Amino acid sequence: MKVQNLRWWVIALIALATIINYIDRQALSVLWPDIVEDLFPDESALERKQIYANISIIFVFSYAFGQAIFGKIFDWVGTRLGFVLSIGVWSIATAAHAFAQGMLSISLFRAILGVAEAGNWPGAAKSNAEWFPTKERALAQGIFNSGAAIGGIIAIPLIAVLTVYFSWKMVFIVVGLVGLLWLIPWMILVKAPPGSHPWITEEERQYILTGQRVTDQGESVEEAEEEYDPTTKEILSRKQSWGVIIASAAIDPIWWLFVFWIPIYLNEVYGMDVKSIGIYGWVPYVGAMFGAWFGGLLAQNRLKAGWNTDKTRKLTITLGCLIMLPSLLAMANPGSPVTAVLIMAVILFGFQTAIGNVQTLPSDLYGKKAVGTLSGLSGMAAKLGAVGLTSLVPILTADGNYTPAFVIGASLAVIAMAAVWFLIPKIEPLKKLPAKHSLTESKSV
């Protein structure tokens, strides 16, 4: 049996996993008004916000280290088994939230969830490098990233509706089971990489393999020389790697600012309950969905028009950051809740325009055996950056004013742009340098 356009079926399944990923992680923030009344009934409003922030920090810390751990796991065991481990464990951890009794147990379940959910991102980056030619990678990454946005769109109203029929504990069990069901089509469809998959057509196989890591002259790097698959130490000795890591660490906290705090913000600033949050809270993710598609399509369009990878990636990343800047500052005084969620939609549109191209940088710079490692390291740095901002939010917003948090977000967008422009002089496949050159680069970072 042959399957036409098998690569798009693979990325569609990964996007579906990402939708499930975001439903699972968003469940806590949407259900928090009900959870806090059950588990923490005697705490003040500020104490409840601090408890939520602490639980979120534990999740992101776990997520950060999970990115590095699963980056290595995916490089060791491959994408097929890597995704089975990742989504299998996070689905069980989601269902386990139903048995939380207090701060310790819910934190433990969030930690396990964070480690396992982190595998989705280095896994997607590695799958992208395996299954797509260079010119299609940004679009494939955009489709994958749109899964996060669609998950956000679906999660908030879906969970709000489920609370009509189920307790918050039963909601966690239901959404956890969905992830386990995903494993069935994944194990059936993704039997092997494209080079040896029995269902892929020969035409698609050649299209993928000969179109990977193409140089400016149109010559495949595989035809010219072996791919550069450095060790972790070698990766960290290159300033280009630090450009990816710093850009990720700067831009990613902007996303998490909204993922964690949209429901809390709407509850605190506009006095919304769970059902009202379900009406408004999904709107920002519509902007994120369109941004993911736009960033991928723009990059693909420019590459097909003859632009090189360097010019294309830098244009798209810079455009996304410039869209975010004024919108983040506008959140200082958004006015009505409708205006607030629409501005958030613009911010997340800009974020997703940029992030898909940031996440393709590891596959632009290194061979397939090193992509998961750099993706994991940059993902870990991104989540540590998110930890920093998340830990500051309760302090910055103690009086109910979220402006300082949004101003910090705007400054992070500038840092992300600077990291790409100054630390990655040219986005192209790197070659192994003599030891003294690598050492010199390491010292210059």
Side-chain angles (χ1 to χ4, degrees), residues 225 228-230 234-235 237-240 366 428-442 444:
E225 58 180 291
Y228 179 37
D229 293 312
E234 289 175 310
I235 288 172
S237 74
R238 306 298 293 266
K239 69 179 181 180
Q240 290 89 343
Y366 294 110
E428 62 182 356
L430 297 178
K431 298 179 182 179
K432 185 175 178 63
L433 293 175
K436 64 179 182 179
H437 288 133
S438 295
L439 190 61
T440 301
E441 277 200 358
S442 179
S444 68

Side-chain angles (χ1 to χ4, degrees), residues 83-325:
F83 269 110
V84 171
L85 292 172
S86 178
I87 196 167
V89 173
W90 98 49
S91 298
I92 294 170
T94 299
H97 281 59
F99 303 98
Q101 298 296 315
M103 180 70 179
L104 179 61
S105 54
I106 200 169
S107 296
L108 175 62
F109 299 143
R110 293 306 282 181
I112 297 171
L113 179 71
V115 170
E117 282 202 333
N120 202 51
W121 269 257
K126 187 173 179 65
S127 296
N128 195 348
E130 288 179 351
W131 281 92
F132 288 88
T134 300
K135 65 183 179 182
E136 289 183 348
R137 284 178 184 166
L139 177 58
Q141 194 72 24
I143 292 171
F144 155 68
N145 279 335
S146 71
I150 295 169
I153 293 169
I154 293 172
I156 294 177
L158 173 63
I159 293 166
V161 168
L162 288 175
T163 60
V164 175
Y165 303 99
F166 303 109
S167 68
W168 65 265
K169 293 183 178 182
M170 192 62 195
V171 172
F172 277 116
I173 292 174
V174 170
V175 297
L177 289 175
V178 173
L180 296 177
L181 292 175
W182 177 92
L183 293 173
I184 298 171
W186 176 259
M187 292 296 290
I188 293 172
L189 186 68
V190 185
K191 298 178 180 297
S196 56
H197 199 293
W199 291 358
I200 194 171
T201 65
E202 187 59 32
E203 180 183 10
E204 184 176 16
R205 190 196 320 275
Q206 292 304 316
Y207 176 73
I208 292 169
L209 298 180
T210 60
Q212 289 178 339
R213 301 183 63 76
V214 176
T215 66
D216 290 344
Q217 289 74 34
E219 181 185 23
S220 172
V221 173
E222 285 88 349
E223 296 171 356
E225 58 180 291
E226 293 184 0
E227 289 183 338
Y228 179 37
D229 293 312
T231 64
T232 302
K233 182 178 179 181
E234 289 175 310
I235 288 172
L236 292 175
S237 74
R238 306 298 293 266
K239 69 179 181 180
Q240 290 89 343
S241 300
W242 285 100
V244 178
I245 291 168
I246 293 172
S248 299
I251 197 172
D252 212 52
I254 300 171
W255 174 256
W256 289 89
L257 176 64
F258 292 94
V259 167
F260 282 147
W261 295 99
I262 285 176
I264 310 301
Y265 172 88
L266 294 174
N267 175 257
E268 184 174 6
V269 176
Y270 296 105
M272 296 185 185
D273 59 14
V274 171
K275 294 177 180 61
S276 298
I277 290 169
I279 295 171
Y280 287 91
W282 58 273
V283 174
Y285 294 99
V286 176
M289 178 181 67
F290 285 114
W293 294 340
F294 173 76
L297 288 169
L298 176 62
Q300 179 174 280
N301 175 270
R302 291 300 83 205
L303 288 168
K304 286 185 175 180
W307 286 24
N308 61 24
T309 304
D310 179 67
K311 187 177 179 180
T312 300
R313 298 281 186 256
K314 287 178 177 174
L315 164 77
T316 314
I317 292 168
T318 302
L319 177 62
C321 290
L322 291 178
I323 290 171
M324 284 190 286
L325 272 173

